[in-house]
Structures are given as C-alpha cells and as structure tokens.
C-alpha cells in the first residue's frame, strides 16, 4: 500500500512538473520579453466569407503575434465579452457592433480613446466617414474605431428585373423613389415572372431593419432618448412605416418566398445587383450598423496600448479585402480608392453611408439585441398580414415602455 | 458562514483522539460534515444570496441599488418570463408521458428476451451516456430540411417535409423527440430493476392457474410496477423542469422560432449574463425555484403514499 501510494504520488509530481515546464515554455515563447513578437488576443464574430477575408487580412500582419478567437455572432458573443471584461481577463482588441457599445461603455468595460493617442497611429477623425465615426462614441467620448458600415440594402435579380422592365439602358435598376414605385416594382416582377426579383436583404432581423429605415424616411425622431430611459417614438410616423410594410402582403407580392430568394442570390451565383433601399417615405435614410474595434478595459502598458492600436491601424489599411464582403469601408483612404469604386456590386450603395441611421442608443438595443428581436416579433405578423399595423405598433410600444422603465444594468 | 467553519474544525479535532468511544450520533455528524459543508457552500448559500440579490437592481458590471420587490412586480408584467415558464411547462407535459411509457414498453420487451438480452439493455441505455453537445449535433443533422435523414424518409414515402427546427410548436416537438431518444435509457433501467423485484413464483402460480401471458402482464407485472412508475414519473417531471441545454443548443442560443422554445432557465441566464440584470435574473430564478419546490413536494407526497 505504502509503496503504491508513493509511486502514484511520485508520478503525479512528475506529471505536474512536466506540465509546469510546458506552461512556462508557452509563456516565455509568447511574452514580449522572450525575444518573440508582441501578442494580440483578438476576439471577433466573423464566420463564413467574412471570416475567410479577415483571416487573409490577419495573415498579412507580420510584426505581431495575433491570436484570433471566433465566437458566434449575437448574444453568445456579447455575453462572453462582457463577462471577460467584468472578470478582468478580456482580449486586447475585440470587434463590437457600434450599436452594442451602449451596453459596454457606460459600465466602464471599454477603454476611452483620446484623439491624440489615436492620431499617433493614423486613426484621426478626418480619416473616417463621419456617421460611422460618430457611431463609435458614447456620451461624446470615442470608444470604438469603425471598420465599416453595413447598410440595409435591396437585392436585385437582374434577369427577373429585366424581364419586368425595371432596368434602365445600362442594366441598372430604375429609380424607385416614392411611396408606390417599389411596391409596383414588386408587383411587376411577380406578374412578369411569377417570382420575386427585387427583395430586401434578409441577413439578421429584417422586420426591424426595414421598420427603422422607413420610420426614419418618414421623418421620425429618434425612437429612444436619454440613453433609453425615455420613449420618443413618433406613433404617427411609425404607423406610416408599418402600413407600408403591410402593403406587399395585401397585394399578394410579399410573404415567405421573399425571405427565401435573397439567400438563393448569394449561394446560387445568380446575376444580381445590390442597390440602396429607395427613398420611399420622403427623406433618404437607411438602417445600418458598423463593425468597430474596441479595446476592452484591462491593465495595459503604454507598449501594449500602442501594439493594439497599431494592429487596428494595420487591419484598416487592408480594408480593400474587407470591402469585398459588401461592407462599406469606414476608412476614407479605402472608401475613396479606385479599387473600391471598381468593386461591383459592392460599391453600388456606398453613397448611403452619409444617410445611415443606427439603432437608438440604449442598453437593450443594438445588433441582435432584445429590442431587435422584440421588434421582429411585433412587426413580422404585420408584414405577413396576420396582424394590423396598429396592433404591431401597440405591442412594440408596450415593450419599449416596459424596458425604458427598467433601471439600466450598465 | 464563519460560524459553520468554526464548529467544523472543533468537531473534527476532538473525536480523532478517542475514536473508539464515539457515540453513534457523533459519528454521524462526522461523516455527514463533508457533505454538509458542500451543501452549505454550493446550495444553501447561493439560494440565500440569490434571495438577497433579487431585492436589488444588481448589475453584472458591479453596481447595485435597493429595489425592494420591484424585480418581482417586473417579472409578473414581463410577457417573456411567462412565455419561458410556459415553454418549460409545455416541455414537461410533452416529454414526461413518452419518456415513462417508452421506457416501460422497452423494459417489458427486453425482459422477455432470452438470448442476447445484454445487447438490448446496452443499446437502449447507450444514448444516455452521450454528452448533450453530441446528442444535439446528431439530431441537428437528422432534422435538417432537404438532406436530413428524417425529411428524406418523409419525402421518399411521399409525405411533405417538416420544418422541424424552424416552426413554432414543431420545434418543441423536435426537442422532445431528441430528448426521449437521449434520456429514456435511464427510466428503462429503473423499470428493469423494478421488473426483477417481482417474485418469479407469482408467474409460476399464475401459469398453473391457466393465466395467459397477457393476463400475467396486466394482473401481475403492471400492478407490481406501480411504485416504480410513480418513482420514474416523479424523477422525470423534476428532470424535465430543468430543461435548458438541448433547447439552447438546438436553437443556437436564440428564443426559437417566434419565441416558441426558450425555457425558463434560458431566459434567466440571458437576463443575468447577457443583459447583465443579475437582480432581475435572481428574482426570476427564485420564483422558478419556488414553483419547482412546490411541484416536487406534491410529487414526493404522492410517492410516499404509494410506497406505504
């Protein structure tokens, strides 16, 4: 017995020593003092094509040892990021949707970025499009550096749209501004081909994105103010937006097959174009969000801060690769480059970058947030005709009233 | 907390010197202490802490202010909370009958098998040892539209495809199907044990009196399995009320199609960790806890009555 115990213990000690040595080896290899490159822990939420393009961009970074971690988009990602930040062990750099900053910055989970430090790395305000740059601010302080803006767009199957006579001489979708033109276009394609050839993008939460676009076009004020504590939704304008959303189903040209079609465009290599959403209700506005870089709050030496900002700056300079995915670059040197303008159809809606509208700032709003899901649950039945616009508005309003009264957890 | 630790060290220090003269009561204390410490640390204390937190506007980010009962009035007015409670109840109602009856049927059949009985016992129990992530991966593929095995069979039989994971209510049925396949083995083993406790002589006597196998099952086996059935049902209801992981994984952490699957525990988790409303999440988990305790007490009193 005695001997067996000793051997077992000896074995464990031995194994532990080997383990410690291995860990020490890893630690020295990764430390900035070990003679190796400086490490950057980088969390992002890009899979699929975006993920591949980002990997390509990361591969070009030579002077830093970047350790990327991909997490699934949406609540799982933001939950993990906030828990890591609360626990004091966040990554050096993370990607966050601009609309989600309001759930992080007020809680002190992000590093505020001052203009002088940013300028040292070539990240001054004048190098970015104004709307995405402003979206990186919370309460007047810059917390995020925008990579892009990804507006809600219209997908056009050029073959079907052509048959319906919706294209001009250059094969480009005609101007469909005004309350009826887009609805008539839906009808025309349906009548000519029996299919849907002009559809809204369906990634993410379409009903909310369409609603915010139309509501803003109708001239609606920000839906929330005072960081989400006051509901300033303009009921009349909201109702106008919802009435328009109910129209395609009434005419029998909307419905389930619309959702299906956009996915087919992307996967089946159909001839398609991407256009800005027409100005339907009066003012040119389009819902959008931005992928941004943030520095979660943690202990950093000045060198580590420089490395993190240098990393962001280098990624932005490789922005042409990123733009291929259809995101409008927020970094002006890329946005204004010839290479980007030659990129079609991705650059066909670059113009909307100046009229984009972001989610109303609140701790419960933002990309993939509870607000977007609740809006979807309230508006989807309106779009399919199962509920009236008034019912959809009432249910959304009840949700806003409830959440605006809750003490902010951040 | 501090008092528990001191009594602990004292009881531990003394009996060691006079181990032989120990009174049984003291030995009992000594032996239950390790469990009791863990019980206090990981069960009683968190429950009390949650009760306290539920009275504050506590946030994950650290700050916290007195809220009184507002978290509780909030949850009464929160349609998402009621929906989540209903989904948990619905899952329990839908999953318990098949999990009990399938297990009974499998046990009755296997107990009749003479050769290779071990193979059937092993096969029916095997899925139970799989981790939930594996179970969800398997069923996620099986349920796929287009190329998923279930839908391929349906279409080859001339039936139309079912949108297993993307349609309200059907999505819940899909969870129930996967869960039955996964956990029925546990109930099956309990039933097998129950069957083995029935004395052989009863069947011999019945056979001598001319009872057919069917009569034997109806008049001997099933009545003598009643207490097993009650036990299995009670354990199953409690296990089903705790549903979270397979739903969360099958629906990718979303609330399911049109918020039709998210169970109570998932909503509590989301409120606490995603929305960072720890106080509100504590209030909800406390309310949910009280419901589960009430149901458990009712079921256990039922269990005690049948065992008497």
């Amino acid at each position: 017995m005695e001997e067996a115990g000793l051997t077992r213990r000896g074995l464990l000690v031995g194994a532990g020593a080997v383990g410690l040595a291995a860990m020490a080896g890893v630690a020295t290899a990764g430390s900035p003092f070990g003679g190796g490159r400086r490490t950057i822990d980088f969390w992002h939420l890009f899979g699929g094509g975006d993920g591949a393009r980002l990997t390509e961009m990361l591969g070009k970074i030579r002077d830093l040892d970047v350790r990327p971690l991909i997490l699934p988009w949406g609540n799982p990602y933001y939950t993990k990021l906030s828990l890591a930040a609360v626990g004091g062990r966040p990554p050096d750099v993370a990607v966050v949707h601009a609309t989600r900053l309001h759930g992080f910055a007020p809680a002190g989970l992000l590093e505020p970025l001052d203009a002088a430090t940013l300028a040292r790395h070539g990240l001054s305000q004048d190098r970015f499009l104004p709307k995405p740059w402003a979206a990186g601010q919370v309460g007047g302080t810059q917390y995020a550096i925008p990579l892009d803006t990804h507006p809600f767009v219209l997908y056009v199957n050029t073959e079907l749209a052509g048959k319906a006579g919706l294209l001009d001489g250059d094969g480009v979708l005609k101007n469909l501004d005004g309350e009826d033109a887009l609805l008539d276009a839906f009808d025309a394609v349906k009548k000519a081909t029996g299919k849907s050839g002009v559809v809204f993008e369906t990634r993410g939460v379409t009903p909310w994105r369409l609603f915010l676009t139309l509501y803003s076009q109708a001239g609606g004020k920000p839906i929330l103010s005072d960081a989400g504590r006051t509901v300033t939704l303009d009921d009349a304008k909201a109702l106008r937006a919802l009435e328009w959303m109910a129209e395609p189903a009434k005419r029998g040209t909307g419905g389930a097959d619309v959702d299906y079609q956009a996915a087919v465009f992307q996967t089946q290599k159909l001839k398609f174009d991407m256009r800005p959403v027409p100005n339907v209700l009066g003012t040119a506005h389009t819902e959008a969000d931005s992928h941004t870089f943030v520095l979660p709050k943690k202990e950093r030496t000045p060198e580590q801060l420089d490395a993190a900002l240098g990393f962001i700056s280098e990624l932005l300079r490789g922005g042409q690769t990123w733009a291929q995915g259809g995101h409008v670059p927020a970094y002006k040197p890329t946005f204004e480059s010839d290479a980007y303008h030659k990129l079609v159809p991705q650059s066909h809606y670059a113009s909307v970058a100046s009229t984009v509208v972001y989610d109303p700032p609140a701790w419960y709003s933002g990309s993939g947030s509870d607000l977007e899901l609740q809006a979807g649950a309230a508006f989807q039945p309106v779009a399919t005709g199962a509920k009236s616009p008034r019912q959809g508005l009432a249910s959304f309003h009840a949700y806003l009233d409830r959440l605006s009264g809750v003490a902010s957890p951040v | 907390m501090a008092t528990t630790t001191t009594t602990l060290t004292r009881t531990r220090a003394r009996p060691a010197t006079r181990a032989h003269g120990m009174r049984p009561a003291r030995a009992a204390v000594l032996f239950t202490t390790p469990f009791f410490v863990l019980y206090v640390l990981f069960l009683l204390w968190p429950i009390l802490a949650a009760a306290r937190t539920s009275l504050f506007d506590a946030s994950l980010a650290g700050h916290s202010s007195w809220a009184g009962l507002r978290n509780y009035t909030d949850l009464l007015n929160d349609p998402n909370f009621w929906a989540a409670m209903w989904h948990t109840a619905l899952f329990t109602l839908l999953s318990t009958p098949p999990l009990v009856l399938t297990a009974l049927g499998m046990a009755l059949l296997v107990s009749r098998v003479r050769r290779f009985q071990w193979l059937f016992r092993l096969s029916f129990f095997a899925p139970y040892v799989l981790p939930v992530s594996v179970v969800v991966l398997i069923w996620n593929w099986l349920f796929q539209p287009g190329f998923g095995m279930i839908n391929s069979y349906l279409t080859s039989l001339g039936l139309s495809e079912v949108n297993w994971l993307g349609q309200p209510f059907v999505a819940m049925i899909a969870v129930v199907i996967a869960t039955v396949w996964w956990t029925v083995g546990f109930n099956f083993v309990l039933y097998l044990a129950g069957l083995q406790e029935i004395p052989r002589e009863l069947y011999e006597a019945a056979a001598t009196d001319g009872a057919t196998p069917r009569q034997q099952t109806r008049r001997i086996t099933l009545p003598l399995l009643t207490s097993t059935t009650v036990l299995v049902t009670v354990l199953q209801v409690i296990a089903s009320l705790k549903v979270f992981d397979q739903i969360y994984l099958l629906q990718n952490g979303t609330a399911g199609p049109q918020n039709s699957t998210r169970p109570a525990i998932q909503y509590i988790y989301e409120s606490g960790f995603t929305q960072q409303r720890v106080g509100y999440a504590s209030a909800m988990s406390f309310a949910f806890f009280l419901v589960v305790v009430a149901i458990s007490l009712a079921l256990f009193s039922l269990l005690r009555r049948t065992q008497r």
Side-chain angles (χ1 to χ4, degrees):
Chain A
M1 277 310 282
E2 182 91 43
E3 229 181 83
L6 268 179
T7 329
R8 202 181 303 142
R9 198 172 303 155
L11 194 71
L12 284 175
V13 170
V18 170
L20 276 178
M23 273 158 61
V26 169
T28 40
S31 94
F33 309 107
R37 296 170 301 168
R38 197 173 285 282
T39 61
I40 295 282
D41 279 314
F42 174 49
W43 288 11
H44 65 87
L45 32 64
F46 302 119
D50 282 347
R53 278 181 287 276
L54 185 72
T55 307
E56 190 187 327
M57 290 157 73
L58 291 175
K60 289 180 185 150
I61 295 179
R62 295 262 169 260
D63 51 341
L64 290 166
D65 178 14
V66 182
R67 297 172 177 179
L69 178 66
I70 311 172
L71 295 157
W73 171 80
N75 281 335
Y77 178 78
Y78 291 112
T79 305
K80 197 170 165 78
L81 187 61
S82 61
L83 285 177
V86 168
R89 301 289 296 276
D92 298 305
V93 178
V95 169
V96 165
H97 282 100
T99 53
R100 278 285 192 146
L101 293 171
H102 306 275
F104 284 86
L109 300 179
L110 301 179
E111 208 81 63
L113 307 166
D114 68 275
T117 316
L118 289 176
R120 251 193 303 134
H121 292 275
L123 301 171
S124 48
Q125 180 172 357
D126 56 310
R127 295 210 175 178
F128 291 88
L129 299 180
K131 293 255 176 171
W133 182 261
Q137 296 172 347
V138 178
T141 309
Q142 197 76 32
Y143 283 99
I145 301 157
L147 169 64
D148 61 27
T149 180
H150 45 93
F152 188 54
V153 296
L154 208 58
Y155 281 82
V156 183
N157 179 327
T158 41
E159 205 183 307
L160 299 182
K163 280 184 194 156
L166 293 174
L167 304 184
D168 63 17
D170 302 326
V172 174
L173 190 70
K174 287 180 183 165
N175 183 330
L176 296 176
D177 287 354
E179 207 154 326
D180 292 318
L182 186 55
L183 292 170
D184 292 342
F186 290 155
D187 293 346
V189 180
K190 198 82 176 201
K191 220 169 276 167
T193 66
K195 292 178 188 160
S196 304
V198 177
V199 298
F200 291 112
E201 178 186 21
T202 52
R203 273 189 301 185
V205 273
T206 306
W208 163 252
R209 305 187 77 185
L210 180 57
F211 171 78
L212 186 57
T213 300
L214 294 170
Y215 174 78
S216 308
Q217 290 187 349
K221 298 176 288 189
I223 292 173
L224 300 167
S225 50
D226 196 15
R229 281 184 288 270
T230 316
V231 181
T232 41
L233 180 72
D234 183 331
D235 285 359
K237 308 247 157 82
L239 207 55
R240 243 189 110 196
L242 288 170
E243 272 159 4
W244 193 91
M245 285 168 73
E247 209 48 42
K250 262 191 219 162
R251 298 184 176 200
T253 49
D257 59 328
V258 171
D259 278 18
Y260 181 61
Q261 286 283 337
V264 170
F265 282 175
Q266 285 155 316
T267 53
Q268 292 200 345
K269 304 208 162 148
L270 291 174
K271 274 194 173 176
F272 75 100
D273 193 6
M274 291 151 89
R275 307 298 308 179
V277 174
N279 176 1
V280 176
L281 294 182
T283 336
H285 278 305
T286 304
E287 185 272 355
D289 205 334
S290 286
H291 296 117
T292 70
F293 297 108
V294 296
L295 274 53
K297 192 79 138 197
K298 70 189 280 195
E299 292 281 319
R300 290 172 204 266
T301 62
E303 291 79 25
Q304 285 170 329
L305 181 67
D306 280 340
L309 290 171
F311 166 67
I312 294 170
S313 167
E314 216 168 319
L315 276 182
L316 286 171
R317 283 197 295 270
Q320 177 64 25
T321 309
W322 186 247
Q324 289 165 10
H327 312 293
V328 180
Y331 188 56
K332 271 191 193 163
T334 313
F335 182 79
E336 287 163 357
S337 70
D338 284 343
Y340 175 63
H341 286 280
K342 283 184 190 138
L343 192 66
V344 289
Q346 288 94 324
S347 64
H348 280 171
Y349 49 89
S351 59
V352 301
S354 55
T355 55
V356 288
V357 182
Y358 291 79
D359 274 20
W363 61 270
Y364 50 91
S365 70
S367 170
S369 66
D370 198 41
L371 182 142
E372 293 196 346
L373 297 177
Q374 294 295 329
F379 300 154
Q380 183 68 36
V382 176
T384 59
K387 288 215 172 115
S388 73
R390 241 168 236 289
Q391 286 171 316
L393 178 62
S395 120
F396 183 55
H397 217 305
Y399 168 78
L400 290 180
D401 286 340
R402 195 159 55 75
L403 265 285
S404 60
V406 169
S408 165
V410 296
Chain B
M1 280 307 290
T3 46
T4 351
T5 357
T6 42
T7 38
L8 237 180
T9 35
R10 226 179 290 139
T11 40
R12 203 178 271 167
R14 248 189 274 151
T17 49
R18 31 177 219 144
H20 290 289
M22 250 192 321
R23 291 202 309 273
R26 203 172 265 187
V29 170
L30 191 64
F31 280 116
T32 50
T33 300
F35 167 76
F36 189 68
V37 169
L38 293 177
Y39 184 73
V40 168
L41 264 180
F42 294 106
L43 211 72
L44 283 184
W45 173 246
I47 290 173
L48 293 175
R52 184 180 174 279
T53 313
S54 73
L55 302 174
F56 288 83
D57 266 332
S59 150
L60 199 64
H63 58 82
S64 167
S65 58
W66 176 251
L69 291 175
R70 199 171 60 232
N71 282 327
Y72 289 93
T73 51
D74 275 1
L75 74 84
L76 293 177
N77 295 321
D78 182 352
N80 283 331
F81 173 71
W82 291 110
M85 289 291 269
W86 164 241
H87 298 149
T88 294
L90 180 67
F91 174 81
T92 307
L93 290 173
L94 290 174
S95 66
T96 305
L99 276 165
V100 174
L101 295 177
T102 316
L104 174 62
M106 289 185 339
L108 286 176
L109 289 174
V110 167
S111 69
R112 284 170 182 273
V113 175
R114 291 280 162 262
R115 299 171 73 192
F116 297 114
Q117 202 194 55
W118 63 270
L119 180 66
F120 290 96
R121 280 207 302 254
L122 178 71
S123 318
F124 286 160
F125 186 69
Y128 187 72
V129 304
L130 293 178
V132 64
S133 47
V134 175
V135 173
V136 168
L137 264 182
I138 294 172
W139 284 92
N140 207 0
W141 286 113
L142 292 178
F143 284 136
Q144 283 302 311
F147 57 89
M149 195 176 88
I150 300 177
N151 277 328
S152 319
Y153 280 156
L154 287 179
T155 42
S156 70
L157 288 172
L159 300 166
S160 61
E161 281 205 2
V162 176
N163 186 0
W164 289 102
L165 301 173
Q167 207 180 319
F169 192 72
V170 178
M172 188 59 96
I173 299 288
V175 174
V176 170
I177 293 173
T179 308
V180 169
W181 177 82
W182 178 32
T183 64
V184 74
F186 184 73
N187 297 344
F188 162 72
V189 168
L190 290 181
Y191 266 122
L192 272 189
L195 281 172
Q196 272 159 13
E197 274 184 14
I198 301 174
R200 292 269 131 236
E201 306 90 80
L202 292 178
Y203 294 104
E204 282 163 23
T208 322
D209 288 344
T212 62
R214 175 179 293 207
Q215 283 172 324
Q216 288 179 18
T217 304
R218 273 191 46 208
R219 298 290 168 85
I220 300 172
T221 314
L222 291 182
L224 288 175
L225 276 181
T226 309
S227 69
T228 309
T229 302
V230 174
L231 176 75
V232 167
T233 311
V234 168
L235 293 178
Q236 188 54 56
V237 168
I238 295 170
S240 287
L241 286 172
K242 293 193 293 191
V243 69
F244 164 68
D245 29 13
Q246 62 267 49
I247 295 183
Y248 181 82
L249 291 169
L250 262 180
Q251 294 294 340
N252 285 321
T254 68
Q258 293 169 41
N259 186 8
S260 62
T261 57
R262 177 167 62 191
I265 294 179
Q266 188 182 333
Y267 190 54
I268 292 169
Y269 161 77
E270 283 172 13
S271 303
F273 292 101
T274 308
Q275 300 216 320
Q276 314 189 7
R277 296 175 68 191
V278 180
Y280 186 54
S282 300
M284 286 195 291
S285 59
F286 215 72
F288 181 61
F289 169 71
L290 292 180
V291 171
V292 175
V293 165
I295 293 173
S296 306
L297 287 178
L299 289 171
F300 277 116
S301 79
L302 179 75
L303 184 63
R304 234 171 290 130
R305 225 175 303 147
T306 53
Q307 280 177 344
R308 216 174 276 153

